[in-house]
Amino acid sequence: MTDQQQPLPTASGEFGDKPALTFPDTPAPADLAVQVLSRGDGELVEAGDDIEVNYYGQVWGGRMFDNSYDRGSSISFPIGVGAVIGGWDEGLVGQQVGSRVLLSIPPHLGYGERGMPQAGIGGTDTLVFVVDVKGTSRR
Protein backbone atom coordinates (compact mmCIF):
# COMPACT_ATOMS: atom_id res chain seq x y z
CA MET A 1 0.00 0.00 0.00
CA THR A 2 2.71 2.50 0.93
CA ASP A 3 5.86 3.00 -1.11
CA GLN A 4 8.14 4.95 1.18
CA GLN A 5 10.85 5.01 -1.51
CA GLN A 6 8.85 7.53 -3.50
CA PRO A 7 9.01 11.11 -2.17
CA LEU A 8 5.69 12.48 -0.99
CA PRO A 9 4.61 16.10 -0.66
CA THR A 10 5.30 17.87 2.61
CA ALA A 11 2.52 19.60 4.51
CA SER A 12 2.81 22.72 6.65
CA GLY A 13 0.99 23.27 9.91
CA GLU A 14 -0.20 21.19 12.81
CA PHE A 15 -3.40 19.25 13.46
CA GLY A 16 -6.30 21.67 13.03
CA ASP A 17 -4.37 24.15 10.84
CA LYS A 18 -5.12 24.52 7.13
CA PRO A 19 -2.05 22.97 5.48
CA ALA A 20 -0.07 24.05 2.44
CA LEU A 21 1.52 21.32 0.33
CA THR A 22 4.98 21.39 -1.25
CA PHE A 23 5.45 18.80 -3.99
CA PRO A 24 8.68 16.96 -4.88
CA ASP A 25 9.98 17.14 -8.46
CA THR A 26 9.06 13.49 -9.03
CA PRO A 27 6.04 11.72 -10.47
CA ALA A 28 3.22 10.71 -8.18
CA PRO A 29 3.35 7.18 -6.72
CA ALA A 30 1.37 4.63 -8.75
CA ASP A 31 -0.13 3.12 -5.59
CA LEU A 32 -1.83 4.49 -2.51
CA ALA A 33 0.68 6.12 -0.17
CA VAL A 34 -0.23 6.86 3.44
CA GLN A 35 1.99 8.93 5.71
CA VAL A 36 1.03 9.73 9.29
CA LEU A 37 2.24 13.30 9.80
CA SER A 38 1.32 13.34 13.49
CA ARG A 39 -0.19 10.46 15.43
CA GLY A 40 -3.14 11.03 17.71
CA ASP A 41 -3.85 9.10 20.87
CA GLY A 42 -7.57 8.54 20.38
CA GLU A 43 -9.63 5.55 19.31
CA LEU A 44 -8.72 3.55 16.22
CA VAL A 45 -10.95 4.13 13.20
CA GLU A 46 -12.66 0.89 12.17
CA ALA A 47 -14.47 0.03 8.94
CA GLY A 48 -18.15 0.88 9.36
CA ASP A 49 -17.51 3.77 11.76
CA ASP A 50 -18.73 7.29 11.12
CA ILE A 51 -15.65 9.52 11.19
CA GLU A 52 -15.37 13.27 11.50
CA VAL A 53 -12.52 14.95 9.64
CA ASN A 54 -11.13 18.19 8.34
CA TYR A 55 -9.41 17.80 4.99
CA TYR A 56 -7.43 19.61 2.32
CA GLY A 57 -7.37 18.18 -1.22
CA GLN A 58 -5.02 19.07 -4.06
CA VAL A 59 -4.16 17.52 -7.41
CA TRP A 60 -0.54 16.24 -7.44
CA GLY A 61 1.58 19.23 -8.48
CA GLY A 62 -1.57 21.20 -9.31
CA ARG A 63 -4.21 23.25 -7.60
CA MET A 64 -6.28 22.82 -4.46
CA PHE A 65 -9.75 21.54 -5.40
CA ASP A 66 -11.51 21.37 -2.04
CA ASN A 67 -10.96 21.80 1.68
CA SER A 68 -13.06 21.97 4.81
CA TYR A 69 -10.83 24.45 6.67
CA ASP A 70 -12.05 27.44 4.64
CA ARG A 71 -15.67 26.47 5.36
CA GLY A 72 -14.92 26.36 9.08
CA SER A 73 -16.67 23.05 9.59
CA SER A 74 -15.61 19.43 9.51
CA ILE A 75 -17.46 16.67 7.66
CA SER A 76 -18.67 13.25 8.84
CA PHE A 77 -19.22 10.11 6.79
CA PRO A 78 -19.12 6.32 7.04
CA ILE A 79 -15.63 4.92 6.38
CA GLY A 80 -14.52 1.58 4.98
CA VAL A 81 -17.89 0.80 3.40
CA GLY A 82 -17.62 2.36 -0.07
CA ALA A 83 -19.33 5.67 0.78
CA VAL A 84 -16.20 7.69 -0.17
CA ILE A 85 -13.35 7.21 -2.64
CA GLY A 86 -11.33 4.03 -2.19
CA GLY A 87 -8.16 5.85 -1.15
CA TRP A 88 -9.98 7.29 1.88
CA ASP A 89 -11.51 3.92 2.81
CA GLU A 90 -8.11 2.19 2.60
CA GLY A 91 -6.00 4.99 4.03
CA LEU A 92 -8.11 6.12 7.00
CA VAL A 93 -9.29 2.81 8.47
CA GLY A 94 -6.81 1.95 11.24
CA GLN A 95 -5.77 5.54 11.94
CA GLN A 96 -6.13 7.02 15.42
CA VAL A 97 -8.37 9.94 16.31
CA GLY A 98 -6.21 13.04 16.64
CA SER A 99 -3.93 12.01 13.77
CA ARG A 100 -2.97 14.12 10.76
CA VAL A 101 -2.56 11.87 7.73
CA LEU A 102 -1.28 12.57 4.23
CA LEU A 103 -2.84 10.43 1.48
CA SER A 104 -1.52 10.21 -2.09
CA ILE A 105 -4.36 8.58 -4.02
CA PRO A 106 -3.87 7.27 -7.58
CA PRO A 107 -6.75 7.70 -10.05
CA HIS A 108 -8.04 4.11 -9.68
CA LEU A 109 -8.62 4.72 -5.94
CA GLY A 110 -9.91 8.27 -6.53
CA TYR A 111 -12.46 9.25 -9.14
CA GLY A 112 -11.27 6.86 -11.86
CA GLU A 113 -11.08 7.50 -15.61
CA ARG A 114 -13.98 9.97 -15.57
CA GLY A 115 -12.37 12.14 -12.91
CA MET A 116 -14.58 14.84 -11.45
CA PRO A 117 -14.61 17.63 -14.04
CA GLN A 118 -16.77 19.97 -11.94
CA ALA A 119 -13.96 19.97 -9.33
CA GLY A 120 -11.22 20.27 -11.96
CA ILE A 121 -10.06 16.67 -11.42
CA GLY A 122 -8.99 14.78 -14.53
CA GLY A 123 -9.12 11.02 -15.03
CA THR A 124 -5.33 10.67 -14.72
CA ASP A 125 -4.92 12.96 -11.71
CA THR A 126 -3.38 11.71 -8.49
CA LEU A 127 -5.08 13.32 -5.50
CA VAL A 128 -3.26 14.40 -2.35
CA PHE A 129 -5.18 14.94 0.87
CA VAL A 130 -4.16 16.06 4.32
CA VAL A 131 -6.79 14.70 6.71
CA ASP A 132 -7.19 15.57 10.40
CA VAL A 133 -9.15 12.75 12.08
CA LYS A 134 -11.29 14.55 14.65
CA GLY A 135 -13.55 11.77 15.85
CA THR A 136 -15.08 8.36 15.28
CA SER A 137 -18.28 6.69 16.36
CA ARG A 138 -19.52 3.15 15.95
CA ARG A 139 -22.62 2.76 13.82
Side-chain angles (χ1 to χ4, degrees), residues 28-101:
D31 296 317
L32 177 67
V34 180
Q35 180 180 38
V36 177
L37 301 175
S38 61
R39 187 170 306 284
D41 58 5
E43 288 184 76
L44 284 180
V45 173
E46 296 179 10
D49 286 359
D50 282 327
I51 68 168
E52 179 185 357
V53 303
N54 272 317
Y55 67 93
Y56 177 91
Q58 188 169 339
V59 172
W60 184 281
R63 65 176 193 79
M64 184 272 297
F65 56 83
D66 193 16
N67 81 90
S68 64
Y69 299 93
D70 288 346
R71 289 192 295 273
S73 62
S74 57
I75 63 166
S76 298
F77 51 86
I79 194 70
V81 294
V84 292
I85 60 173
W88 280 44
D89 275 346
E90 290 185 32
L92 296 177
V93 169
Q95 300 298 337
Q96 283 183 273
V97 171
S99 294
R100 174 169 270 205
V101 182

